[in-house]
Amino acid sequence: MKYFLTLILLTMSSSLLGQVTDWQKYTLEFYQELNLARTNPQDYAKIIEELVSSRIISESYVTREVVTTSDGESKINRVLLGLQEGTNAFTEAIEFLKVQEPLEPLELSVNISRGSQDHVEDLYKNNITGHISSDGKTSPMERIGRYGLPVGVTAEVLMFGPNLSPREMVVFLIVDDGVPDRGHRLNIFDPAFTKTGVACGEHPTYKRTCGANFAEGYWEDKEMDIGEVLIATDTVILNDYREKFKLNQKINADTKNHKTKVKDF
């Protein structure tokens, strides 16, 4: 898995990532934190409890001091992130994690990560946020569908924030402050998801962003075999999927209604 992550991150543009090795490590840690939360939710509850008890979390904002070095001198930056719900969302997240059943880790997909990477680069180049691409129409499922075939439900989570560590990115996704249905949290802890793709990079306004795409199933381009897909999913892939996913085999099957649900938060 680490090899695949290294492979995909090395393709990212230097203008987006700066020092690629730094972002390699950052993105790998983000992926590991997602799986740590899924596989050890009770331990992750303790991590959030420590943030609250250390008073890094206050009713109105999150504050964090970051020591940076410029010309040999140390400088302290204070990061303020506004909270809509105060500490209530953190308390609720802790209670959620205490009773959450441990889940299987998410398998890292090279090609889902390519779709995640496309969006992080798009967010950077066009200084935008949100799940729809800058063209105003491309969805998360369509982005990961460029490189393989998503099967079943898919979802995407995004987090933005200056000087946030990979762990803090995941913590804030789980806390999901200001999101009434806690969609990001529910996506991370959805037992139906088996695969993920991740990407992190710079953002002109919010400095850092991380994205993760989840899928119930996913056929990597090189693994695609129409017969296997049809048998495994008991569905018929519509004819227009042939061109979209660059499938070079003839589809001989009766057409059924086939819809892929998308959770988009």
Side-chain angles (χ1 to χ4, degrees):
M1 289 185 182
K2 291 182 180 179
Y3 169 76
F4 290 144
L5 185 64
T6 299
L7 177 65
I8 192 65
L9 289 177
L10 284 175
T11 68
M12 286 184 163
S13 65
S14 58
S15 62
L16 170 64
L17 296 181
Q19 295 183 349
V20 175
T21 53
D22 290 343
W23 283 107
Q24 269 186 293
K25 182 174 182 293
Y26 189 97
T27 308
L28 175 59
E29 290 178 1
F30 176 69
Y31 165 66
Q32 291 172 332
E33 287 293 325
L34 286 171
N35 271 340
L36 178 60
R38 275 178 63 96
T39 59
N40 298 281
Q42 284 72 44
D43 287 346
Y44 227 79
K46 294 177 182 178
I47 289 171
I48 299 179
E49 282 180 325
E50 290 175 2
L51 285 176
V52 175
S53 63
S54 64
R55 296 186 180 181
I56 292 177
I57 311 299
S58 75
E59 285 296 330
S60 58
Y61 62 84
V62 178
T63 179
R64 180 167 176 264
E65 292 184 341
V66 181
V67 178
T68 58
T69 303
S70 176
D71 299 327
E73 296 183 1
S74 295
K75 187 173 79 171
I76 296 179
N77 293 334
R78 186 171 294 274
V79 177
L80 301 178
L81 297 178
L83 298 177
Q84 297 182 44
E85 301 177 56
T87 58
N88 291 338
F90 289 84
T91 301
E92 183 205 309
I94 292 167
E95 296 306 312
F96 171 90
L97 292 170
K98 285 181 177 179
V99 298
Q100 169 64 40
E101 292 290 329
L103 301 174
E104 291 295 316
L106 295 163
E107 179 185 349
L108 186 66
S109 163
V110 176
N111 287 336
I112 295 178
S113 293
R114 288 193 174 111
S116 304
Q117 172 191 329
D118 285 351
H119 195 45
V120 167
E121 289 186 347
D122 188 31
L123 297 174
Y124 172 80
K125 291 175 182 177
N126 294 284
N127 194 16
I128 58 175
T129 61
H131 297 283
I132 301 301
S133 298
S134 59
D135 63 7
K137 60 183 181 180
T138 303
S139 69
M141 187 187 70
E142 290 173 315
R143 285 192 294 270
I144 67 175
R146 293 168 181 161
Y147 307 104
L149 181 63
V151 178
V153 177
T154 65
E156 178 178 83
V157 297
L158 293 171
M159 182 63 201
F160 301 82
N163 295 316
L164 294 181
S165 68
R167 170 162 289 180
E168 288 166 332
M169 287 282 192
V170 174
V171 165
F172 291 129
L173 282 170
I174 293 172
V175 170
D176 226 0
D177 174 75
V179 181
D181 62 5
R182 308 299 191 215
H184 300 90
R185 181 194 302 171
L186 295 178
N187 282 335
I188 292 173
F189 291 98
D190 191 330
F193 294 135
T194 64
K195 294 195 174 186
T196 189
V198 295
C200 297
E202 295 178 1
H203 190 273
T205 300
Y206 298 103
K207 308 308 178 185
R208 293 180 184 179
T209 183
C210 281
N213 292 85
F214 308 118
E216 282 190 78
Y218 189 83
W219 271 262
E220 307 286 341
D221 223 27
K222 63 182 180 181
E223 297 175 354
M224 284 187 186
D225 181 276
I226 284 298
E228 291 181 2
V229 171
L230 294 179
I231 292 171
T233 63
D234 193 31
T235 61
V236 174
I237 309 303
L238 302 178
N239 286 334
D240 61 352
Y241 274 34
R242 278 188 68 202
E243 182 177 353
K244 184 174 182 181
F245 294 106
K246 299 180 180 178
L247 303 177
N248 297 316
Q249 300 180 27
K250 185 177 180 181
I251 302 174
N252 293 314
D254 294 332
T255 301
K256 299 178 183 178
N257 290 330
H258 175 64
K259 296 180 180 179
T260 302
K261 299 178 182 178
V262 180
K263 294 181 180 179
D264 190 1
F265 298 99

